Amino acid sequence: MSSFTAPLEYEATGAIAPRTKLPQYRLLKSIVFYVGKRGSDFPITIPKGYVTDFASLPKFILRWFNPKDDRWAKAALLHDYACSTHSYSRAMCDLIFLEAMLVLGTPWWIAHMFYRSVTLFSMYLSITRKRTYYVSE
């Protein structure tokens, strides 16, 4: 079974994420997530000092879901990191996010709701990103 290697330790940076307007936090201790099973050949190491806003949720959802809840905070951190490194496809990052939430004991329906939200958001980004076209002369 997949697993995280350490408890989540973080501190507030005092900064606000520009896009989400959520507080940012700095990881105090690196964490490794083994995709698939513990000791697998697919570890993802989130380094000490990495900065995140955890789950970037719309404000109306924050009433019901705390981004720092133990049931998905590590998974959100992992997703942020995996997406930011550009080492994995967005689809792979989203699937790893789902796997991590289920490993953490997130209820199935919440894990799938968050997973569907990030996949829909990535589709939205791919449609709305400004494209630059070059015309040869």
Side-chain angles (χ1 to χ4, degrees):
M1 174 179 265
S2 305
S3 64
F4 285 94
T5 59
L8 185 58
E9 295 179 34
Y10 59 90
E11 66 182 0
T13 65
I16 301 294
R19 184 177 55 83
T20 63
K21 308 289 189 259
L22 294 172
Q24 292 185 316
Y25 301 90
R26 180 178 302 106
L27 192 60
L28 297 175
K29 184 177 177 183
S30 64
I31 294 178
V32 178
F33 179 74
Y34 288 99
V35 179
K37 64 180 182 174
R38 188 177 193 98
S40 75
D41 292 334
F42 191 4
I44 299 174
T45 302
I46 308 164
K48 174 183 173 181
Y50 182 74
V51 176
T52 183
D53 63 0
F54 290 109
S56 305
L57 301 169
K59 287 190 184 219
F60 72 92
I61 292 178
L62 290 174
R63 292 181 190 152
W64 298 288
F65 299 104
N66 177 354
K68 296 180 290 183
D69 188 301
D70 288 342
R71 293 174 293 173
W72 50 75
K74 284 183 186 177
L77 173 69
L78 175 66
H79 187 257
D80 282 358
Y81 179 74
C83 289
S84 71
T85 64
H86 304 287
S87 298
Y88 315 99
S89 70
R90 180 62 192 243
M92 177 64 82
C93 293
D94 295 349
L95 285 169
I96 292 169
F97 176 55
L98 175 61
E99 179 180 333
M101 282 188 293
L102 293 172
V103 164
L104 291 168
T106 304
W108 185 91
W109 69 274
I110 294 175
H112 281 269
M113 178 181 67
F114 284 3
Y115 169 72
R116 295 287 179 223
S117 296
V118 297
T119 57
L120 288 172
F121 182 68
S122 67
M123 284 194 282
Y124 168 78
L125 284 179
S126 68
I127 292 168
T128 61
R129 279 199 177 124
K130 293 181 181 176
R131 290 177 171 64
T132 304
Y133 297 96
Y134 296 96
V135 179
S136 60
E137 295 180 27

